[in-house]
Amino acid sequence: MTGSHNLRFSVPHPIPYQGSKRRLATAILSHVPTNRYTRLVEPFAGSAAVTLAAAHRKMFSSFVIADALDPLIELWRMVISDPTEAADQYDKLWHREREKPIAAYYEIRSEFNADRSPAKLLYLLARCVKNAVRFNPAGEFNQSPDKRRKGTRPQVMKAELFAAHRLLAGKADALHGDFLSLFLAAQPGDLFYLDPPYQGTSQGRDQRYISGVSRHRMIEALTILNEKRVPFILSYDGSCGVRNYGDALPQNVAHRILLDVGRSSQATLNGRDDVTIESLYVSHLLPAKHKTRTTASLNDFTEQATLFT
Ligand SMILES: C[S@@+](CC[C@H](N)C(=O)[O-])C[C@H]1O[C@@H](n2cnc3c(N)ncnc32)[C@H](O)[C@@H]1O
């Protein structure tokens, strides 16, 4: 078993989430100097893969997990304070499908759209196509069930929820809201990891996440962090094969590194040979570790993955 495999299994990741940075967390965190920053702030947290990886390595003493999706933040609050109820509810929801396969999914989806229950969101994310959160213009979750997979088994989910709890309890806060309020509240000692919805997925017809972030707004927000001299690492404008997901940011905002993350699963399904490239923007305030080259591959980080397991 390789180091990167060890890493994947030893860092908990309870919330299945399309776009999770779980596989990239080691590469992202390699830009963080040791013992210099005390708090990691993740304003577009989703499944908080980078926060969990950083907590596993004890890289910061405190964490902020934030997102615009309210029930997701409620779920993180349950994980941080006491995941018993989330685990129990997930178990009951998952077993409902035994009696009514597929029909139970639609029933729970309707219930979620009425009550916004965090445990129901966890169930829907685990059971829906591509673990992809999708809302219609009325704000209703409308993703379909995955008919080939059953979603994380309740015992595994319980273990993951409790493992995440052990990493975050007493150290993390979960906040609901737009990212800008966190930028304005940034303090010395903070380091921000940012993973906003790609330009290509938050504008126009492809409304993947509940709200989008324009390039212009992101540049203005990063200027706030630069003025406060709070460093950040930003995942942005990924491209897949010939399809480009957005325009590059100006060089004075941050240094851009292109990360080759291998073939995308979607491209593999479509029989194409595309390689996914992710842009990582590293604040000029961080040491010039990889600044001499502009591309890196995930394999470059296998060594570090082994070190951290
Ligand atoms: C690409 S996903 C982040 C995935 C995350 N890095 C992970 O590892 O799971 C982007 C997230 O930003 C959130 N989001 C969208 N617009 C936002 C806004 N204006 N303020 C805060 N969060 C927002 C979405 O709900 C979504 O969870």
Side-chain angles (χ1 to χ4, degrees):
M1 192 183 269
T2 66
S4 54
H5 274 106
N6 283 335
L7 185 72
R8 206 170 299 158
F9 290 114
S10 56
V11 181
H13 190 265
I15 305 179
Y17 211 69
Q18 190 189 44
S20 160
K21 289 293 184 284
R22 184 180 204 181
R23 244 163 50 85
L24 295 179
T26 301
I28 291 164
L29 290 169
S30 75
H31 295 277
V32 180
T34 34
N35 300 330
R36 189 172 319 165
Y37 300 101
T38 49
R39 189 170 76 150
L40 177 65
V41 182
E42 215 188 325
F44 303 93
S47 66
V50 169
T51 294
L52 288 165
H56 175 74
R57 293 165 199 179
K58 302 185 173 36
M59 292 174 72
F60 299 85
S61 49
S62 63
F63 302 90
V64 174
I65 293 172
D67 201 282
L69 183 54
D70 198 2
L72 182 65
I73 289 304
E74 285 301 324
L75 181 58
W76 276 119
R77 288 187 179 138
M78 293 168 99
V79 171
I80 294 164
S81 61
D82 179 4
T84 312
E85 201 183 324
D88 289 352
Q89 284 186 32
Y90 180 85
D91 187 318
K92 287 198 186 96
L93 293 164
W94 195 87
H95 280 102
R96 250 207 241 175
E97 281 216 62
R98 280 224 173 128
E99 288 140 44
K100 297 189 254 177
I102 304 299
Y105 176 92
Y106 288 106
E107 202 177 274
I108 294 164
R109 194 176 76 172
S110 302
E111 289 172 16
F112 169 76
N113 284 329
D115 66 18
R116 312 294 275 184
S117 143
K120 285 175 190 156
L121 178 65
L122 179 62
Y123 163 83
L124 292 171
L125 284 170
R127 283 289 294 113
C128 73
V129 174
K130 296 189 206 160
N131 307 119
V133 64
R134 293 280 188 283
F135 293 93
N136 66 17
E140 293 163 335
F141 190 96
N142 66 353
Q143 183 64 300
S144 309
D146 186 328
K147 296 192 172 129
R148 293 164 304 167
R149 294 179 305 120
K150 286 192 187 318
T152 314
R153 298 192 156 271
Q155 273 182 329
V156 175
M157 180 58 84
K158 186 173 183 179
E160 293 266 334
L161 288 166
F162 275 85
H165 168 73
R166 284 191 293 274
L167 286 182
L168 301 174
K171 294 185 197 142
D173 283 324
L175 304 175
H176 165 238
D178 183 64
F179 68 96
L180 193 60
S181 52
L182 284 175
F183 281 50
L184 295 169
Q187 299 165 8
D190 284 352
L191 186 138
F192 277 54
Y193 170 62
L194 307 165
D195 187 19
Y198 288 139
Q199 294 171 64
T201 59
S202 59
Q203 289 168 356
R205 288 171 58 204
D206 186 2
Q207 295 284 342
R208 234 179 252 189
Y209 299 102
I210 52 165
S211 56
V213 180
S214 72
R215 178 175 178 275
H216 175 72
R217 210 176 156 223
M218 185 45 64
I219 293 171
E220 279 194 351
L222 293 174
T223 306
I224 297 173
L225 290 187
N226 279 334
E227 280 171 3
K228 288 183 167 228
R229 300 198 59 74
V230 169
F232 60 84
I233 299 171
L234 163 72
S235 298
Y236 206 53
D237 75 12
S239 59
C240 184
V242 288
R243 199 170 157 208
N244 196 336
Y245 283 95
D247 298 329
L249 296 179
Q251 280 192 3
N252 65 331
V253 173
H255 177 79
R256 186 186 193 200
I257 288 167
L258 296 176
L259 201 59
D260 167 356
V261 298
R263 293 178 75 191
S264 81
S265 49
Q266 191 59 42
T268 308
L269 279 177
N270 296 343
R272 298 198 317 264
D273 215 10
D274 298 350
V275 159
T276 301
I277 304 289
E278 286 235 2
S279 283
L280 208 59
Y281 286 86
V282 179
S283 159
H284 291 302
L285 295 166
L286 292 172
K289 193 171 171 197
H290 301 294
K291 286 188 183 175
T292 48
R293 58 179 184 183
T294 50
T295 58
S297 148
L298 268 193
N299 293 335
D300 297 343
F301 299 96
T302 313
E303 188 65 19
Q304 275 138 323
T306 313
L307 280 177
F308 286 119
T309 53

